Amino acid sequence: QVAMATDLAAVAISRHREETALRESEARFRQLFEVAPLPLGFIDPDGSVGALNRCFVDTFGYTRDDIPTVTAWAERAFPDPVEREAMLARRVTLRPPHSGARAAEPIEQRITCKDGSQRFMMVSGAPVGESFLVTFFDITEMRRLDAQLEHYRHHLEDLVAERTAQLVRMVRQDCGSCHGMRLTGGLGPALTRQALAGKPPDYLTAVILHGIPGTPMPPWSAMLQGAEARWIAEQLASGFPEENRSSAP
């Protein structure tokens, strides 16, 4: 009887330790979940929102009262019906996967916050038992910078196109006043591809920038940058464009 009592006590102590360790482990998980610097959502198997961490609420403004289920989240975070259907079809955002599914592949989504603002997020997650942990990584600033860079790129392309047209007009009109409007010769020699055959682009660039002393050919360095003079030289050597054509220097 003493031995049996000892065994029972040992089993009870072991179970107590296991339960204590499990409670401590769950407490650590809850603490890590709550203080994580990324928005996190915990989804129960029935599609209800089990938990939202502090960063989620701070980022999107929604609490569990606002989005108690995945359906409620989809309706508020994706007010556009097309985007909402696309989100639900991908089965990523705040939605537990089918049994046995692996971690969701990250996907970019535009999410509407409670205050009406929008954020771009990379959304992913992983199964935790029968539930699902959803993670959000904010790329809103990255997308803003991308849009800004794209705007600058288009602006630069417009500036290049404008300057190219100016250079073509300058050569056709200013240079054409001496070399002929078709650049086939006049007071000055022809500037056609055939006439310039054998003359290196470096030589032509130097002539354009510095002129030819003792001749009517003036230097154009006050009006042209080196790269622009080089472009004109290369275009002359290959057949200069008409004014209605565009080509970048």
Side-chain angles (χ1 to χ4, degrees):
Q1 292 180 347
V2 173
M4 183 179 297
T6 301
D7 290 341
L8 290 175
V11 171
I13 292 172
S14 177
R15 288 181 178 176
H16 175 72
R17 288 176 176 174
E18 291 175 356
E19 292 172 356
T20 300
L22 180 60
R23 285 195 298 269
E24 292 176 350
S25 177
E26 290 176 346
R28 284 195 297 271
F29 174 80
R30 284 194 296 270
Q31 183 179 17
L32 290 173
F33 176 87
E34 183 61 25
V35 302
L38 297 176
L40 300 176
F42 199 72
I43 310 306
D44 293 331
D46 62 357
S48 61
V49 177
L52 302 171
N53 73 342
R54 186 184 310 161
C55 188
F56 184 100
V57 177
D58 291 342
T59 300
F60 300 117
Y62 299 117
T63 65
R64 287 179 63 196
D65 292 337
D66 298 317
I67 50 171
T69 65
V70 172
T71 302
W73 159 257
E75 290 175 352
R76 301 199 64 170
F78 301 90
D80 181 87
V82 176
E83 292 188 5
R84 186 187 313 136
E85 288 301 320
M87 183 281 289
L88 292 173
R90 287 192 289 262
R91 299 177 301 157
V92 176
T93 306
L94 291 182
R95 182 175 181 179
H98 294 297
S99 178
R102 296 181 180 179
E105 290 293 329
I107 188 169
E108 181 177 336
Q109 294 186 328
R110 183 178 60 178
I111 296 173
T112 300
C113 302
K114 187 174 181 177
D115 64 2
S117 62
Q118 293 185 326
R119 289 180 176 272
F120 291 90
M121 293 280 172
M122 290 300 296
V123 185
S124 184
V128 180
E130 293 298 319
S131 301
F132 196 63
L133 178 66
V134 185
T135 62
F136 300 82
F137 184 78
D138 197 339
I139 58 171
T140 305
E141 182 65 13
M142 185 186 305
R143 287 292 168 262
R144 187 189 69 80
L145 293 175
D146 287 344
Q148 193 174 55
L149 288 174
E150 184 69 8
H151 171 74
Y152 289 150
R153 184 180 68 83
H154 285 301
H155 180 60
L156 179 60
E157 289 175 350
D158 291 341
L159 291 178
V160 170
E162 181 181 355
R163 182 55 175 163
T164 298
Q166 292 173 352
L167 295 178
V168 171
R169 190 177 306 113
M170 184 191 75
V171 172
R172 284 292 177 185
Q173 295 182 6
D174 295 347
C175 299
S177 63
C178 283
H179 298 276
M181 299 306 294
R182 303 292 300 174
L183 304 181
T184 54
L187 296 177
L191 298 179
T192 61
R193 178 175 56 186
Q194 295 78 6
L196 298 177
K199 292 182 171 60
D202 288 344
Y203 167 78
L204 296 176
T205 301
V207 170
I208 294 170
L209 287 174
H210 308 297
I212 301 177
T215 74
M217 176 62 189
W220 291 86
S221 56
M223 299 182 61
L224 297 173
Q225 297 181 2
E228 295 173 335
R230 176 78 182 195
W231 178 81
I232 292 174
E234 291 175 347
Q235 295 299 310
L236 288 172
S238 61
F240 203 78
E242 299 292 339
E243 281 194 53
N244 61 348
R245 294 174 56 187
S246 70
S247 180

